[in-house]
Amino acid sequence: MVLVAILTACVSLVRNILQAFLYFIIPRPAITDPQANRIRDSRLTAQFIQKFEEKYGNTHPEFFQGSYSQALDRAKNDLRFAMIILQADEHDNTKKFNRETLTSDLLISFLRENDFLVWAGNIKDPEAFQVNSILQATTYPFVAVIVLATPHGNTGMSPRMTVVDRIEGLLSPEILIARFTILINRYGSGLQRIRNERAERDSARQIREQQDSAYLASLQADQEKERKARELAEAKKLASERAKREEEERMLLLANKEKWRRWALTQLPNEPNQNETNVTSLSFRLLNGERVVRRFRADDTVEMIYIFVDTYHMRKETSSSSTVHQPPEDYVHTFDFLLVSPFPRTVHHVDKLKTIKNVSGLWPSANLIVEGLTSDDDE
């Protein structure tokens, strides 16, 4: 009996070694995952983990809680070795494998330290049964190791998820660790190369994004400067045009005032002589402090007094060549002063119709003060 047990163990060991050797030299099929076969329901995996813990306890590798497809995607994205475990309840080695191998602290520590992703299922479940068909397992427990790699003899192809080892039947934790170590030594450098390439691409992408962001920020800053410069130039242009227009209006107003005053001089009657009767003598204190006395006829209007004061500074300058016979068109003259009797203070507003004799403060004589108008003058 002892000899039979020894022979059986030797045969099993030789078979496993030969199996490992053959799968390292024979090209492995790439794992394809058609969309139609992607099953993403993680409830079956959760049920497997629950049943496993009920039978064998909580000491086991950290099983991936998701579908087989999700496990492959995670391993591919994270650049990790995927350990795929398929079991069948009717096989005698299942219990021993679970109790002695999967609960081994040595194996659990190895898988954790080397960042293996572990997915397990029972072939009686639909998803695990489908995975069994994909991986073509015939003996249980079955373990496949899948990793992102370039298929043998196809160095020009892009890396893809490939079965790099298949283990069928009962194996000790030590033998599993030995085989996994060989895989790490063989494919770990390829994973690291892919990591480096990804890191370089990510770094280049980040640099491009930073450059694009900096360029965009610079472009936006330049556009903002140009916008402000245009707005400033437009504002200056509008201000210049407004100032020019206002200056033109001011000069036109001054010209019209000047023209109107020269015309008004022709409308002002001559001063009555000393022998005339029905005249009034008005004494003015002008805005510059000068005092002027002038006689007006009784029938002269109050407006005539305003015209006299408004054109007084022009009387000595007026010549026949500067005489204006028509007032300017589209112009209404306004006087920028008031005539005021001081005691009592009485304002005599300009009036084209009212005659001097009908204004008690102006007849038969009066002292008048010329007051300049201001913007807040209410009178």
Side-chain angles (χ1 to χ4, degrees), residues 5-270:
I6 294 174
L7 289 175
T8 301
C10 290
V11 170
S12 177
L13 178 60
V14 171
R15 179 175 60 83
N16 290 330
I17 293 174
L18 180 61
Q19 184 185 50
F21 174 77
L22 290 175
Y23 277 93
F24 280 126
I25 64 174
I26 297 175
R28 259 73 67 189
I31 294 300
T32 57
D33 190 20
Q35 184 67 27
N37 294 329
R38 294 179 67 88
I39 303 174
R40 298 189 178 278
D41 188 357
S42 62
R43 289 177 298 176
L44 294 176
T45 303
Q47 292 174 4
F48 174 87
I49 296 173
Q50 180 181 359
K51 292 179 180 179
F52 185 94
E53 292 178 345
E54 289 174 355
K55 291 182 179 180
Y56 308 106
N58 297 325
T59 302
H60 56 75
E62 183 179 352
F63 295 122
F64 179 79
Q65 298 197 25
S67 69
Y68 169 75
S69 300
Q70 291 170 331
L72 287 187
D73 289 340
R74 177 69 62 83
K76 180 179 179 180
N77 293 332
D78 296 349
L79 297 177
R80 300 165 62 184
F81 286 91
M83 177 183 179
I84 307 301
I85 304 171
L86 294 175
Q87 298 184 356
D89 291 340
E90 62 273 16
H91 280 253
D92 297 334
N93 289 333
T94 297
K95 294 181 179 180
K96 186 175 181 63
F97 177 77
N98 290 341
R99 184 177 296 110
E100 298 181 4
T101 301
L102 285 186
T103 59
S104 167
D105 291 333
L106 186 63
L107 177 63
I108 294 172
S109 298
F110 177 86
L111 296 174
R112 184 186 303 113
E113 291 170 0
N114 291 278
D115 199 24
F116 270 63
L117 185 148
V118 181
W119 183 90
N122 194 310
I123 62 171
K124 71 176 183 179
D125 295 327
E127 183 179 22
F129 182 81
Q130 184 181 19
V131 174
N132 183 76
S133 298
I134 295 173
L135 299 180
Q136 299 178 357
T138 58
T139 303
Y140 307 94
F142 172 84
V143 175
V145 179
I146 303 173
V147 71
L148 188 64
T150 301
H152 290 289
N154 297 292
T155 56
M157 296 182 62
S158 300
R160 46 185 181 166
M161 295 301 285
T162 306
V163 176
V164 293
D165 197 4
R166 293 163 56 92
I167 303 168
E168 294 182 298
L170 180 64
L171 286 182
S172 67
E174 291 78 10
I175 295 179
L176 279 180
I177 292 173
R179 293 183 66 156
F180 291 168
T181 301
I182 295 174
L183 295 175
I184 293 173
N185 293 335
R186 183 171 185 180
Y187 295 98
S189 59
L191 286 181
Q192 187 58 46
R193 177 179 54 80
I194 297 175
R195 290 191 187 98
N196 294 338
E197 291 174 353
R198 284 188 180 180
E200 291 177 0
R201 288 196 299 269
D202 291 342
S203 178
R205 177 181 53 79
Q206 290 176 358
I207 291 175
R208 287 195 302 271
E209 290 176 352
Q210 291 172 357
Q211 291 174 340
D212 292 344
S213 178
Y215 172 78
L216 180 61
S218 176
L219 179 62
Q220 290 175 341
D222 291 341
Q223 291 174 341
E224 181 66 13
K225 288 180 181 178
E226 292 176 0
R227 184 187 65 79
K228 289 183 178 180
R230 289 195 302 268
E231 290 179 352
L232 181 60
E234 184 66 19
K236 288 182 178 180
K237 179 182 178 181
L238 293 176
S240 176
E241 292 176 351
R242 182 171 59 253
K244 180 181 179 181
R245 185 170 59 253
E246 291 174 352
E247 180 62 15
E248 291 174 350
E249 292 174 353
R250 188 183 71 85
M251 295 303 295
L252 178 62
L253 179 62
L254 291 177
N256 284 334
K257 280 182 177 290
E258 180 75 8
K259 186 175 181 181
W260 186 91
R261 284 168 177 161
R262 293 188 183 279
W263 168 81
L265 277 174
T266 66
Q267 307 302 308
L268 187 65
N270 293 329

